[in-house]
Amino acid sequence: MKYVVLSFDDGRKDFYQHALPILKRYHLVATLNIIADFIGKTNLPVFASAGHECMTRREIMECDRYGIEIANHSAKHTNSINDILKGQEKLKSLLGGNRHLGFASPSSEICLENFSMYRNILENNIIAYLRSGNQLRRDGKIHLFMWILYKITKFFHFFYWYNSRNYIDLIKKDCHKKGFFPSVTCNAETDKNSIIRFIDKMPDNNAVILMFHSIVPPNSTTWEADKWYNSTDDFDRICSFCATHDDIQVVTNMQLKDIIVLK
């Protein structure tokens, strides 16, 4: 079995408007990483492709009831321990009960090199896991070169060479058993066929976390406002591929963590 996590950063309005209906169509789940202080805000210039809007409390709760995992993306979109803890408490207050929440690193600034700074909040069960991703400015010249070649050519093998380090081996477990999870960035620079082939090429007993931001229709007024979006058509195609293959299971990040523990 292969496992895929559809992970969405920020809590953008378009997740509720466009991504959630597609997920429901294919009976799939996802992980929604919420910036706690941005809930309900409609004037956020940094989220241009989202029309500057974030989800409301009601919309987040509706997603929660459907089965979307609600996770922490900090209170103000930073990686400080204080901001992580504030985001954790605000989301717990919103969701009610004694929720154990995961955390997704804003801008993927947390990596294995600085992971030790955050080990205490993991080991003390303050957060359930820490999800991060690639960051071009720290990837080194070889990886940067591969990504530039992919952007120019859209040749799948460059995408694969750049991202294959982010496959999560469920047998070896590596750093993932410690609660650290890498992810693959999916945005306007990423061809849907590359994402689908990347999932298809993934070995059995492996998983991949796909990091999305906005999902918008091609006729949207926010189309090409920045690079942090994928089209509704492309996202629908990715979901359709996952839903129609018996050897692929779409899970939340928390479910993936539990699968790793059980294995």
Side-chain angles (χ1 to χ4, degrees), residues 219-230:
N219 60 355
S220 169
T221 57
T222 64
W223 187 260
E224 296 185 339
D226 58 31
K227 70 176 183 178
W228 298 107
Y229 70 93
N230 295 82

Side-chain angles (χ1 to χ4, degrees), residues 31-140:
T31 295
L32 182 58
N33 307 298
I34 301 290
I35 305 171
D37 283 2
F38 290 8
I39 296 173
K41 297 290 180 64
T42 59
N43 59 346
L44 298 163
V46 291
F47 299 149
S49 57
H52 313 295
E53 292 189 73
C54 282
M55 295 168 61
T56 65
R57 295 168 64 93
R58 179 190 63 79
E59 290 164 347
I60 293 169
M61 293 305 296
E62 185 177 331
C63 291
D64 181 61
R65 287 191 294 271
Y66 169 69
I68 302 298
E69 177 195 357
I70 307 301
N72 180 16
H73 203 40
S74 80
K76 297 184 182 296
H77 205 240
T78 79
N79 289 278
S80 75
I81 297 290
N82 187 52
D83 203 31
I84 294 171
L85 297 180
K86 283 184 178 179
Q88 203 82 346
E89 289 308 309
K90 289 183 177 184
L91 286 178
K92 284 184 177 182
S93 176
L94 169 66
L95 298 170
N98 189 24
R99 294 286 188 98
H100 199 200
L101 304 178
F103 171 70
S105 170
S107 304
S108 296
E109 288 185 1
I110 302 174
C111 58
L112 288 176
E113 284 71 25
N114 61 14
F115 178 59
S116 59
M117 295 170 54
Y118 301 87
R119 193 179 303 278
N120 283 343
I121 57 176
L122 272 166
E123 292 178 347
N124 293 325
N125 286 323
I126 296 171
I127 60 173
Y129 61 80
L130 193 159
R131 193 228 72 198
S132 193
N134 294 329
Q135 194 182 77
L136 285 172
R137 64 177 175 266
R138 68 162 182 248
D139 277 344

Side-chain angles (χ1 to χ4, degrees), residues 159-173:
F159 181 86
Y160 179 79
W161 292 330
Y162 179 74
N163 284 296
S164 58
R165 56 194 161 142
N166 294 321
Y167 282 143
I168 298 170
D169 190 320
L170 303 181
I171 304 302
K172 291 182 179 178
K173 299 184 180 181

